[in-house]
Amino acid sequence: IPSENKIIGYTTKNSGGVPDNFKNYFVIVFDKSFTVTKTFDGDKLLDAIESQADHSGAIIGFKTVKGEKVNAKVASSFISYEQAERNLNELGKNDFDQIKEKGKNVWNTELSRIKVGGGTAEQFTTFYSSLYRSLLFPRKFYEFDAKGKVVHYSPYNGKVLPGYMFTDTGFWDTFRALFPFLNLMYPELNQQMQEGLSNAYNESGWLPEWASPGLRDVMVGNNSASVVAEAYLKSETKKNPEIENLYKALIHGANNQGPLRAVGRLGVDYYNSLGYVPYDAGINENAARTLEYAYDDFAIYKLGLALNKPKSETDLYKKRSLNYKNLFDSENNLMRGKNKDGKFQTPFSPFKWGDAFTEGNSWHYSWSVFHDMQGLIDLMGGKDVFVSQLDKVFSLAPVFDESYYGSVIHEFREMQIANMGQYAHGNQPIQHMTYLYDYAGEPWKTQYWVRETMNRMYKPTPDGYCGDEDNGQTSAWYVFSAIGFYPVTPASDQYVIGTPLFKTVKIKLQNGKEVSINAPQNNAANKYIKSMKFNGKADANNWLSHSELLKGATIDFEMSNTPNKNRGTAKKDFPYSLSTEK
């Protein structure tokens, strides 16, 4: 449109997960008149200002003097040209440098909500880089119409509808630490995300497990249950107008197989009747599915209790949350695929990636009992055996069996390069495992291995990232761990204590309260917690309460270069497990 120094257009190019009417509209406005206006169709140059083709574009030219800059303002929309123009107005009359400065100020505001002190330059860079990456996903997939109302193009049914929508996140990764981070630091934003999930259910009939931008057939599990339940359980007000619809969506997803293998629950009939997804039922990564479904059932159980659902219903999901026990092989003290006849699959190699598991092996997935670590300890025969199994993860050679994949995938190499035995922190299934010594009365081992992981797996260098970012999950692990605690069981009120990395941490919560964490003796050698005070009172617990942190808190750590083998060793000090629930 030469009279307006403007180009408008759209593209239909996509890599799936969109309806047939998908278009990404765009508008580009220049601050200088065009002297050349042509378009092209493939390799054909056209003397026309409009073109529509499989590969089309605009060509423009300007008359400039040496050193002159031409500025372009760009905006896009999934709704229409008009909406793209409306979105462009968000830039106002700001020039490039003003926009750049505004962007810088926005990021500084967000990054300064957590202020750390008393670390090295490398640690500061690594921390704030991780915090930055933790805030990149999920993506906002909504726009503001002419009346300023929130609207979105639905990646599920192709309609333009009112309300929020978010996308580009995989719950298999992000239920572990990224969404707990958002629940702690951004509860208001997370409320919008919950509305977006309710809209996704209304528009597709399912909750997404990996939205990109619509339903995608990626990974396993039904971990939308954790994302929905945790957001409600950890909210201060317990006021979510969408919660009944979302609970309905969880029940639907937990009892039905979806239109894609990664939506709903693949193998649900087996799981609900046998208590596990069988190895010989033609369903890939069956043991991983079973273990994650069990935790997801725990999340539904907890949400059901909070919503005063019938006892028969909550009892059902509580019972199903114990299904992890059906895959425990006492001979190896590990999780193992099981056939329909109740016999374990053979042959069995705990080093075989994939097969019964997802992007990991039995050494990685055997700890995926996020909600009932005491139950797993009991299955193994007690704390000593449990700790011994944890120790083996680090002492075993970083060997692998790649036969299921037929080639060496990058996760294998990352585990080898890490050189921490079978501990494969570059991928998600095992990332909580270093915190599990806290459940068995040896918290100093958690402190040692958490600090080792922070030091060895994360560096502010081009090769300093240990593996898949995966929508902020691996960065959120570092942010939590550097602060000093981690959400092993997201759908509970607790964080499990590790070891703080900095001498001081100041956390500004969205409700105006502040959490202050002090560890004045902290340094590279003093990685062990000698004592802890919570709001001035001595505290031997290996966990912190989310609801107490929301009130504002001061946590004081006395650090030492030698383990305190008397603190956090009594059962009353251990974090939550379903088996110890009264």
Side-chain angles (χ1 to χ4, degrees), residues 50-72:
E50 187 171 344
S51 174
Q52 182 174 345
D54 183 60
H55 182 54
S56 181
I59 298 171
I60 56 172
F62 310 96
K63 185 175 181 181
T64 60
V65 297
K66 185 176 181 179
E68 183 179 355
K69 292 180 180 177
V70 178
N71 292 286

Side-chain angles (χ1 to χ4, degrees), residues 6 42 114 117 135 153 225 243 256 266 272 367 378 418 434 456 469 480 517 534 567:
K6 183 186 296 181
I114 303 180
L135 297 175
Y153 166 81
I243 194 60
N256 292 280
L266 186 64
N272 288 351
W367 315 105
D378 294 341
T434 50
R456 292 162 64 171
E469 166 56 68
F480 267 122
I517 301 169
F534 189 88
R567 185 193 174 278

Side-chain angles (χ1 to χ4, degrees), residues 358-580:
T358 300
E359 291 186 1
N361 61 32
S362 183
W363 280 111
H364 305 147
Y365 250 97
S366 291
W367 315 105
S368 294
V369 187
F370 309 95
H371 56 297
D372 194 20
M373 216 50 67
Q374 184 58 51
L376 183 59
I377 290 171
D378 294 341
L379 286 175
M380 287 189 176
K383 293 188 298 180
D384 292 344
V385 180
F386 180 79
V387 168
S388 175
Q389 284 292 88
L390 289 171
D391 289 343
K392 284 178 187 174
V393 170
F394 298 108
S395 63
L396 287 165
V399 297
F400 56 81
D401 174 350
E402 77 276 19
S403 58
Y404 174 78
Y405 290 98
S407 62
V408 176
I409 61 175
H410 67 86
E411 287 87 352
F412 301 163
R413 291 293 183 230
E414 288 155 4
M415 181 181 73
Q416 284 186 316
I417 293 166
N419 197 27
M420 292 175 70
Q422 285 292 310
Y423 184 65
H425 188 82
N427 208 21
Q428 282 65 43
I430 203 170
Q431 287 181 350
H432 65 296
M433 173 254 164
T434 50
Y435 285 88
L436 302 187
Y437 292 102
D438 278 11
Y439 293 79
E442 297 193 17
W444 57 92
K445 288 187 176 179
T446 281
Q447 293 154 26
Y448 176 83
W449 285 113
V450 167
R451 184 67 69 87
E452 282 291 294
T453 304
M454 284 192 281
N455 289 343
R456 292 162 64 171
M457 298 292 99
Y458 298 80
K459 294 183 183 299
T461 55
D463 63 346
Y465 208 77
C466 55
D468 284 345
E469 166 56 68
D470 281 331
N471 303 135
Q473 163 58 29
T474 303
S475 287
W477 183 96
Y478 185 90
V479 172
F480 267 122
S481 296
I483 289 169
F485 51 86
Y486 186 80
V488 172
T489 314
S492 76
D493 185 59
Q494 291 185 358
Y495 302 100
V496 179
I497 294 173
T499 179
L501 185 63
F502 298 97
K503 294 181 189 294
T504 62
V505 180
K506 303 286 185 186
I507 304 171
K508 295 180 189 173
L509 300 177
Q510 207 157 45
N511 63 7
K513 306 290 186 181
E514 183 174 278
V515 176
S516 178
I517 301 169
N518 305 300
Q521 303 97 346
N522 216 344
N523 57 38
N526 293 348
K527 63 175 72 75
Y528 299 106
I529 297 172
K530 185 176 181 181
S531 65
M532 181 183 84
K533 289 182 179 180
F534 189 88
N535 288 339
K537 294 181 180 179
D539 191 333
N541 289 333
N542 293 336
W543 53 272
L544 296 168
S545 162
H546 172 83
S547 54
E548 289 300 310
L549 290 178
L550 290 186
K551 298 174 184 177
T554 299
I555 306 167
D556 296 299
F557 290 104
E558 185 181 3
M559 306 300 290
S560 172
N561 61 4
T562 56
N564 179 357
K565 297 188 177 182
N566 296 312
R567 185 193 174 278
T569 58
K571 272 205 166 183
K572 63 179 177 59
D573 305 328
F574 300 171
Y576 170 87
S577 287
L578 180 61
S579 291
T580 61

Side-chain angles (χ1 to χ4, degrees), residues 75-105:
S76 65
S77 169
F78 296 104
I79 295 173
S80 66
Y81 294 122
E82 292 78 16
Q83 185 62 46
E85 292 267 14
R86 201 169 288 125
N87 297 343
L88 186 68
N89 291 335
E90 294 178 17
L91 298 176
K93 297 186 181 300
N94 294 300
D95 62 23
F96 181 88
D97 289 332
Q98 288 170 321
I99 291 290
K100 179 181 174 183
E101 190 64 24
K102 280 190 170 184
K104 178 181 177 180
N105 291 338

Side-chain angles (χ1 to χ4, degrees), residues 248-265:
K248 177 184 171 185
L250 295 189
I251 299 300
H252 175 68
N255 292 285
N256 292 280
Q257 193 164 305
L260 302 171
R261 293 167 67 89
V263 177
R265 291 190 180 182

